[in-house]
């Protein structure tokens, strides 16, 4: 779900070419009726960056590539929110509406370390201060 929100956010707020998802399925290991996981994406013309051999590019081609990459990085950097947390759909579009989560926090929760207790000390909603967010992350890391 997070990947879908991120794709939609980038597609709505930038000119970065993001392929639309037409269909997908996540196979469950115990489900004999599903063959495999798959994603069917829209095709976008171009080459992957890993296929580009910089040494074979002319100066103009290299400059064009760097300008395109800079344009993408600039657009991504401009995607800012007034708070720190997880993205959600709202009637007004995509907004930060939930507390921040991470794989590390989920792992700690499964191990019984309860990072959610530390999170709760910083409020029940999103964080509006970078210093609070860093402080919370440090406390969660120390508890591990």
């Amino acid at each position: 779900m997070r990947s879908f929100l991120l794709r939609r956010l980038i597609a709505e707020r930038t000119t970065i070419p993001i392929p639309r998802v037409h269909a997908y399925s996540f196979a469950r290991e115990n489900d004999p009726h599903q063959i495999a996981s798959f994603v069917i994406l829209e095709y976008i013309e171009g080459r992957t960056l890993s296929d580009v051999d910089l040494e074979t590019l002319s100066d103009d081609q290299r400059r064009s590539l760097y300008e395109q990459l800079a344009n993408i990085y600039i657009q991504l950097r401009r995607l800012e929110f007034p708070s720190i947390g997880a993205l959600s759909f709202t009637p007004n579009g995509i907004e930060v509406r939930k507390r921040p989560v991470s794989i590390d926090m989920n792992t700690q929760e499964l191990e019984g370390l309860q990072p959610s207790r530390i999170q709760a000390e910083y409020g029940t909603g999103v964080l509006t201060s970078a210093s609070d967010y860093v402080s919370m992350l440090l406390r969660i890391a120390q508890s591990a």
Side-chain angles (χ1 to χ4, degrees):
M1 182 66 157
R2 188 172 74 194
S3 174
F4 175 74
L5 279 171
L6 193 55
R7 282 180 179 279
R8 184 166 169 184
L9 177 75
I10 292 171
E12 287 177 0
R13 298 189 186 178
T14 71
T15 61
I16 300 169
I18 301 291
R20 288 184 330 133
V21 176
H22 290 285
Y24 66 92
S25 174
F26 299 111
R28 300 189 195 282
E29 292 179 24
N30 300 331
D31 188 350
H33 298 99
Q34 285 189 325
I35 297 173
S37 298
F38 68 89
V39 176
I40 299 174
L41 299 171
E42 172 184 34
Y43 178 76
I44 294 182
E45 187 69 38
R47 292 172 47 192
T48 62
L49 195 53
S50 60
D51 289 341
V52 175
D53 184 5
L54 291 175
E55 294 178 9
T56 63
L57 297 178
S58 69
D59 288 342
D60 286 341
Q61 289 173 321
R62 191 175 298 123
R63 186 177 304 108
S64 175
L65 172 66
Y66 291 151
E67 286 173 359
Q68 290 175 46
L69 286 174
N71 181 20
I72 290 170
Y73 290 136
I74 289 168
Q75 289 186 68
L76 289 173
R77 176 61 184 91
R78 289 182 177 157
L79 291 176
E80 292 190 358
F81 296 92
S83 55
I84 302 166
L87 299 176
S88 295
F89 284 115
T90 71
N92 298 327
I94 299 171
E95 296 178 3
V96 178
R97 302 286 291 189
K98 300 176 184 174
R99 289 190 296 188
V101 294
S102 70
I103 292 172
D104 291 333
M105 288 180 197
N106 289 339
T107 302
Q108 286 186 25
E109 199 70 46
L110 289 172
E111 292 172 351
L113 297 174
Q114 299 179 326
S116 55
R117 284 189 328 177
I118 295 171
Q119 274 188 312
E121 294 174 22
Y122 290 87
T124 59
V126 298
L127 298 169
T128 56
S129 161
S131 61
D132 281 349
Y133 179 61
V134 170
S135 173
M136 181 190 73
L137 290 179
L138 288 172
R139 288 193 54 217
I140 289 172
Q142 288 172 346
S143 75

